[in-house]
mmCIF file of all heavy atoms in Angstrom:
data_model
loop_
_atom_site.group_PDB
_atom_site.id
_atom_site.type_symbol
_atom_site.label_atom_id
_atom_site.label_comp_id
_atom_site.label_asym_id
_atom_site.label_seq_id
_atom_site.Cartn_x
_atom_site.Cartn_y
_atom_site.Cartn_z
ATOM 1 N N LEU A 32 -26.086 -43.219 -37.726
ATOM 2 C CA LEU A 32 -25.193 -42.994 -38.831
ATOM 3 C C LEU A 32 -25.679 -43.657 -40.094
ATOM 4 O O LEU A 32 -25.127 -43.466 -41.159
ATOM 5 C CB LEU A 32 -23.769 -43.460 -38.468
ATOM 6 C CG LEU A 32 -23.128 -42.740 -37.293
ATOM 7 C CD1 LEU A 32 -21.754 -43.272 -37.039
ATOM 8 C CD2 LEU A 32 -23.129 -41.258 -37.525
ATOM 9 N N CYS A 33 -26.697 -44.452 -39.997
ATOM 10 C CA CYS A 33 -27.359 -45.067 -41.148
ATOM 11 C C CYS A 33 -28.843 -44.639 -41.109
ATOM 12 O O CYS A 33 -29.487 -44.862 -40.099
ATOM 13 C CB CYS A 33 -27.246 -46.584 -41.130
ATOM 14 S SG CYS A 33 -27.910 -47.388 -42.628
ATOM 15 N N MET A 34 -29.325 -44.045 -42.171
ATOM 16 C CA MET A 34 -30.678 -43.550 -42.173
ATOM 17 C C MET A 34 -31.369 -43.986 -43.479
ATOM 18 O O MET A 34 -30.701 -44.123 -44.520
ATOM 19 C CB MET A 34 -30.711 -42.010 -42.080
ATOM 20 C CG MET A 34 -30.030 -41.502 -40.801
ATOM 21 S SD MET A 34 -30.069 -39.698 -40.701
ATOM 22 C CE MET A 34 -31.795 -39.392 -40.359
ATOM 23 N N GLY A 35 -32.662 -44.185 -43.412
ATOM 24 C CA GLY A 35 -33.341 -44.648 -44.570
ATOM 25 C C GLY A 35 -34.824 -44.403 -44.567
ATOM 26 O O GLY A 35 -35.394 -44.062 -43.539
ATOM 27 N N TRP A 36 -35.445 -44.569 -45.697
ATOM 28 C CA TRP A 36 -36.910 -44.449 -45.879
ATOM 29 C C TRP A 36 -37.440 -45.802 -46.324
ATOM 30 O O TRP A 36 -36.885 -46.425 -47.257
ATOM 31 C CB TRP A 36 -37.226 -43.405 -46.921
ATOM 32 C CG TRP A 36 -37.006 -41.994 -46.468
ATOM 33 C CD1 TRP A 36 -35.902 -41.237 -46.749
ATOM 34 C CD2 TRP A 36 -37.846 -41.200 -45.678
ATOM 35 N NE1 TRP A 36 -36.035 -39.983 -46.159
ATOM 36 C CE2 TRP A 36 -37.232 -39.961 -45.480
ATOM 37 C CE3 TRP A 36 -39.112 -41.406 -45.087
ATOM 38 C CZ2 TRP A 36 -37.792 -38.914 -44.736
ATOM 39 C CZ3 TRP A 36 -39.665 -40.392 -44.325
ATOM 40 C CH2 TRP A 36 -39.033 -39.163 -44.176
ATOM 41 N N PHE A 37 -38.497 -46.200 -45.683
ATOM 42 C CA PHE A 37 -39.261 -47.392 -46.059
ATOM 43 C C PHE A 37 -40.677 -46.990 -46.324
ATOM 44 O O PHE A 37 -41.132 -45.940 -45.923
ATOM 45 C CB PHE A 37 -39.242 -48.422 -44.943
ATOM 46 C CG PHE A 37 -37.913 -49.134 -44.746
ATOM 47 C CD1 PHE A 37 -36.832 -48.481 -44.204
ATOM 48 C CD2 PHE A 37 -37.790 -50.459 -45.094
ATOM 49 C CE1 PHE A 37 -35.603 -49.148 -44.026
ATOM 50 C CE2 PHE A 37 -36.577 -51.129 -44.934
ATOM 51 C CZ PHE A 37 -35.505 -50.441 -44.396
ATOM 52 N N ARG A 38 -41.421 -47.858 -47.018
ATOM 53 C CA ARG A 38 -42.860 -47.632 -47.217
ATOM 54 C C ARG A 38 -43.588 -48.926 -47.087
ATOM 55 O O ARG A 38 -43.045 -50.004 -47.315
ATOM 56 C CB ARG A 38 -43.123 -46.928 -48.538
ATOM 57 C CG ARG A 38 -42.807 -47.765 -49.765
ATOM 58 C CD ARG A 38 -43.019 -46.907 -51.023
ATOM 59 N NE ARG A 38 -42.757 -47.685 -52.257
ATOM 60 C CZ ARG A 38 -42.748 -47.120 -53.484
ATOM 61 N NH1 ARG A 38 -42.975 -45.807 -53.626
ATOM 62 N NH2 ARG A 38 -42.524 -47.871 -54.547
ATOM 63 N N GLN A 39 -44.860 -48.792 -46.711
ATOM 64 C CA GLN A 39 -45.669 -49.982 -46.519
ATOM 65 C C GLN A 39 -47.117 -49.695 -46.904
ATOM 66 O O GLN A 39 -47.681 -48.677 -46.527
ATOM 67 C CB GLN A 39 -45.618 -50.424 -45.044
ATOM 68 C CG GLN A 39 -46.295 -51.756 -44.791
ATOM 69 C CD GLN A 39 -45.999 -52.262 -43.374
ATOM 70 O OE1 GLN A 39 -45.726 -51.478 -42.472
ATOM 71 N NE2 GLN A 39 -46.075 -53.551 -43.208
ATOM 72 N N VAL A 40 -47.671 -50.669 -47.614
ATOM 73 C CA VAL A 40 -49.055 -50.658 -47.983
ATOM 74 C C VAL A 40 -49.736 -51.705 -47.149
ATOM 75 O O VAL A 40 -49.160 -52.784 -46.900
ATOM 76 C CB VAL A 40 -49.259 -50.955 -49.481
ATOM 77 C CG1 VAL A 40 -50.713 -51.049 -49.838
ATOM 78 C CG2 VAL A 40 -48.577 -49.869 -50.348
ATOM 79 N N ALA A 41 -50.939 -51.463 -46.695
ATOM 80 C CA ALA A 41 -51.666 -52.419 -45.839
ATOM 81 C C ALA A 41 -51.701 -53.800 -46.476
ATOM 82 O O ALA A 41 -52.001 -53.954 -47.671
ATOM 83 C CB ALA A 41 -53.082 -51.913 -45.577
ATOM 84 N N GLY A 42 -51.290 -54.792 -45.695
ATOM 85 C CA GLY A 42 -51.306 -56.164 -46.187
ATOM 86 C C GLY A 42 -50.049 -56.598 -46.905
ATOM 87 O O GLY A 42 -49.944 -57.749 -47.306
ATOM 88 N N LYS A 43 -49.092 -55.644 -47.036
ATOM 89 C CA LYS A 43 -47.844 -56.003 -47.687
ATOM 90 C C LYS A 43 -46.687 -55.717 -46.785
ATOM 91 O O LYS A 43 -46.803 -54.999 -45.797
ATOM 92 C CB LYS A 43 -47.714 -55.194 -49.012
ATOM 93 C CG LYS A 43 -48.724 -55.549 -50.085
ATOM 94 C CD LYS A 43 -48.409 -54.848 -51.366
ATOM 95 C CE LYS A 43 -49.350 -55.264 -52.477
ATOM 96 N NZ LYS A 43 -49.044 -54.624 -53.777
ATOM 97 N N GLU A 44 -45.549 -56.321 -47.115
ATOM 98 C CA GLU A 44 -44.343 -56.108 -46.303
ATOM 99 C C GLU A 44 -43.784 -54.700 -46.499
ATOM 100 O O GLU A 44 -43.969 -54.065 -47.559
ATOM 101 C CB GLU A 44 -43.269 -57.137 -46.683
ATOM 102 C CG GLU A 44 -43.556 -58.535 -46.225
ATOM 103 C CD GLU A 44 -42.392 -59.461 -46.426
ATOM 104 O OE1 GLU A 44 -41.320 -58.984 -46.834
ATOM 105 O OE2 GLU A 44 -42.549 -60.662 -46.160
ATOM 106 N N ARG A 45 -43.148 -54.227 -45.462
ATOM 107 C CA ARG A 45 -42.485 -52.919 -45.552
ATOM 108 C C ARG A 45 -41.258 -53.061 -46.482
ATOM 109 O O ARG A 45 -40.494 -54.008 -46.340
ATOM 110 C CB ARG A 45 -42.024 -52.464 -44.160
ATOM 111 C CG ARG A 45 -41.628 -51.061 -44.038
ATOM 112 C CD ARG A 45 -41.469 -50.678 -42.583
ATOM 113 N NE ARG A 45 -42.737 -50.724 -41.852
ATOM 114 C CZ ARG A 45 -42.881 -50.295 -40.597
ATOM 115 N NH1 ARG A 45 -41.818 -49.819 -39.937
ATOM 116 N NH2 ARG A 45 -44.064 -50.384 -39.987
ATOM 117 N N GLU A 46 -41.125 -52.123 -47.380
ATOM 118 C CA GLU A 46 -40.005 -52.182 -48.357
ATOM 119 C C GLU A 46 -39.145 -50.945 -48.277
ATOM 120 O O GLU A 46 -39.634 -49.830 -48.007
ATOM 121 C CB GLU A 46 -40.543 -52.334 -49.777
ATOM 122 C CG GLU A 46 -41.349 -51.173 -50.289
ATOM 123 C CD GLU A 46 -41.714 -51.294 -51.771
ATOM 124 O OE1 GLU A 46 -41.379 -52.290 -52.381
ATOM 125 O OE2 GLU A 46 -42.363 -50.368 -52.293
ATOM 126 N N ALA A 47 -37.882 -51.150 -48.528
ATOM 127 C CA ALA A 47 -36.949 -50.024 -48.536
ATOM 128 C C ALA A 47 -37.127 -49.171 -49.767
ATOM 129 O O ALA A 47 -37.279 -49.706 -50.893
ATOM 130 C CB ALA A 47 -35.508 -50.521 -48.411
ATOM 131 N N VAL A 48 -37.107 -47.867 -49.587
ATOM 132 C CA VAL A 48 -37.165 -46.940 -50.692
ATOM 133 C C VAL A 48 -35.792 -46.386 -50.982
ATOM 134 O O VAL A 48 -35.344 -46.375 -52.106
ATOM 135 C CB VAL A 48 -38.167 -45.789 -50.380
ATOM 136 C CG1 VAL A 48 -38.164 -44.774 -51.520
ATOM 137 C CG2 VAL A 48 -39.549 -46.325 -50.122
ATOM 138 N N ALA A 49 -35.125 -45.904 -49.958
ATOM 139 C CA ALA A 49 -33.798 -45.325 -50.098
ATOM 140 C C ALA A 49 -33.112 -45.367 -48.740
ATOM 141 O O ALA A 49 -33.781 -45.260 -47.701
ATOM 142 C CB ALA A 49 -33.835 -43.930 -50.620
ATOM 143 N N ALA A 50 -31.807 -45.528 -48.730
ATOM 144 C CA ALA A 50 -31.060 -45.520 -47.476
ATOM 145 C C ALA A 50 -29.632 -45.130 -47.759
ATOM 146 O O ALA A 50 -29.133 -45.261 -48.876
ATOM 147 C CB ALA A 50 -31.095 -46.914 -46.823
#
Side-chain angles (χ1 to χ4, degrees):
L32 297 181
C33 186
M34 301 179 72
W36 289 98
F37 286 72
R38 66 185 182 186
Q39 187 171 25
V40 176
K43 294 188 176 182
E44 288 190 5
R45 193 169 294 187
E46 64 173 0
V48 176

